[in-house]
Amino acid sequence: MKKKTAHRLLPCPAYDVESMESWLGDLAEQGLFLQKDGFFAGIASFDRGKPNPTRYRLEAAKKPVSFWKEGSDRPDPEAQELGDAYGWEYVATLGQFFVYRNDTPGQRELNTDPAVQAISLKLLQKRQWSDFAGTLFWVILYSLLWIKGGILELALSMGSLRFLLMTVLILWGFGTSLTTLISLGKFRRKLASGQPANHKKSWKKRAWLHRAELFGFLILCFALIGTSLSRWNADLSDADWRTLSEDPGPFPFSTLSDLAEEGTYRLEVGYLSNRSKRSSNFLAPEIIEYRETGSGRLSNGEAFSGGLTLSYYRLSSPVLAKELYRELFREGKHQKHYAPLEVSDLNAEQWATYQEYFPTLLLQKGDVVLKASFFQIGESEVPLQQWAEIFAKNLDSIRSR
């Protein structure tokens, strides 16, 4: 026995009014009739019955249809009564359209004047401009991030896959909004000129493309949700962080123990927690976040004590490394407590030393970018020139250990 219900992927977007009406009518001739509120996430649900010629019509909602506003997804009572009077039954809401049907041959059309229908579409088109403006805002914001410097750092902090998915979805939304505006405008102009809608428009030619786009969009959405939940869970649980006893290295950069040289050094309990986090992606094969609190003595006998906060990036190419250095430097210059600090030549292609909250070293060498902040407490301190030289000089040698 056949199931009493059937489900079909939509062959076209809701704004393609003529194709949608034609598709629903063709299925009715096959014995499939749209269920009440039968649309969900690009899928339509149908009741099976005896094939019967049935007309479907899409009417643009006069007011915005919103999930958050109760009752907005239904035609107002007067519109439903008028439809009932002419034999047109309200069935479902699809996007910003109300779907009606009529299975009585010879019954008058729901809309007999194309120009009147064009007025409703004009109201919908104005609302669509608001959606388009919203997606345009995000596209402009991304562009400004690129111009001002910060988009690469954002991609690395978010995770390049999640950033890529979000970028694709934003551009997808922009393209969809633009296509909707163009299609609605074209259809509205056709009606305004007095031409009736083509209720038997061929929908099969582009159905495979729309369904492929729908599958692609859903896959991207689920991928973004999955990666975001995974990242959120890891951030909450600190699952990606390991204590320095669990991750003793070696690290591809200097640590506080390197400052002691031939002196003594020990880790101390501190708010930095003495931990590290390693990650990688296609933009940066190696990323290390490093936190350390310790104390020791230099080879000259002077004591030091403090904490190190360090970010290490090995990028996919030196070009990306130069760009990340530029973004991090621009970010540092915009900090409230920024003040430049002077050091003499360091063993790096680019470097900067400045006060952020604590003395900070930023350097780029080849495909590597390193940012280190070192705060010190106590009567004696390691001079900035000395620890900056150690971090810059050892960057290559430690990587080859």
Side-chain angles (χ1 to χ4, degrees), residues 94-248:
L94 178 60
Q96 297 293 317
F97 292 90
F98 299 131
V99 182
Y100 294 84
R101 71 175 163 215
N102 187 307
D103 58 5
T104 304
Q107 193 77 22
R108 59 154 278 176
E109 279 290 336
L110 184 61
N111 257 311
T112 57
D113 187 352
V116 174
Q117 191 177 2
I119 294 174
S120 297
L121 282 173
K122 186 175 183 179
L123 294 175
L124 174 57
Q125 195 176 12
K126 287 182 177 180
R127 297 200 300 270
Q128 192 62 37
W129 272 108
S130 298
D131 294 339
F132 177 74
T135 55
L136 182 61
F137 167 79
W138 287 106
V139 171
I140 293 174
L141 179 62
Y142 266 49
S143 301
L144 289 176
L145 281 173
W146 183 269
I147 294 171
K148 292 185 65 176
I151 199 165
L152 180 57
E153 183 189 3
L154 178 63
L156 293 174
S157 63
M158 288 180 60
S160 53
L161 176 59
R162 189 155 62 115
F163 179 80
L164 178 61
L165 290 170
M166 186 174 293
T167 301
V168 171
L169 286 173
I170 288 174
L171 293 176
W172 195 312
F174 176 77
T176 299
S177 293
L178 183 59
T179 303
T180 302
L181 276 174
I182 294 172
S183 298
L184 285 176
K186 184 178 179 180
F187 184 46
R188 182 184 63 80
R189 288 191 296 271
K190 174 183 176 178
L191 296 174
S193 68
Q195 300 180 58
N198 178 11
H199 305 300
K200 292 295 183 179
K201 181 180 178 181
S202 175
W203 52 268
K204 295 181 181 180
K205 185 180 295 185
R206 294 181 59 83
W208 69 270
L209 178 59
H210 175 73
R211 287 165 177 163
E213 290 175 349
L214 179 60
F215 269 120
F217 181 77
L218 291 176
I219 290 171
L220 289 174
C221 286
F222 283 124
L224 178 59
I225 292 171
T227 55
S228 297
L229 288 176
S230 176
R231 181 64 177 267
W232 179 66
N233 181 64
D235 289 343
L236 283 181
S237 62
D238 275 352
D240 294 336
W241 287 92
R242 302 170 64 190
T243 64
L244 296 185
S245 60
E246 296 171 327
D247 182 14

Side-chain angles (χ1 to χ4, degrees), residues 10-48:
L10 300 184
C12 59
Y15 58 77
D16 190 351
V17 173
E18 295 172 310
S19 294
M20 185 63 68
E21 292 176 345
S22 176
W23 177 65
L24 292 171
D26 287 352
L27 290 184
E29 292 180 359
Q30 300 172 25
L32 297 178
F33 302 93
L34 184 65
Q35 291 181 350
K36 285 284 188 179
D37 300 319
F39 295 110
F40 179 75
I43 298 174
S45 300
F46 298 86
D47 291 319
R48 294 184 184 273

Side-chain angles (χ1 to χ4, degrees), residues 240-251 253-257 265-270 272-278 288-295 306-310:
D240 294 336
W241 287 92
R242 302 170 64 190
T243 64
L244 296 185
S245 60
E246 296 171 327
D247 182 14
F251 295 101
F253 46 79
S254 293
T255 63
L256 293 184
S257 61
Y265 173 76
R266 66 178 181 180
L267 292 175
E268 301 283 0
V269 176
L272 293 179
S273 302
N274 297 313
R275 57 183 187 163
S276 65
K277 180 172 72 171
R278 298 176 185 258
I288 302 176
E289 297 291 332
Y290 185 87
R291 309 288 183 265
E292 180 184 11
T293 302
S295 62
L308 175 68
T309 302
L310 184 146

Side-chain angles (χ1 to χ4, degrees), residues 366-397:
D367 59 358
V368 169
V369 174
L370 181 140
K371 179 181 178 182
S373 294
F374 181 29
F375 77 88
Q376 302 183 65
I377 56 177
E379 295 181 359
S380 60
E381 294 186 356
V382 182
L384 172 61
Q385 180 72 45
Q386 182 177 345
W387 68 263
E389 286 179 355
I390 291 173
F391 275 82
K393 181 181 68 174
N394 289 344
L395 199 58
D396 287 331
S397 60

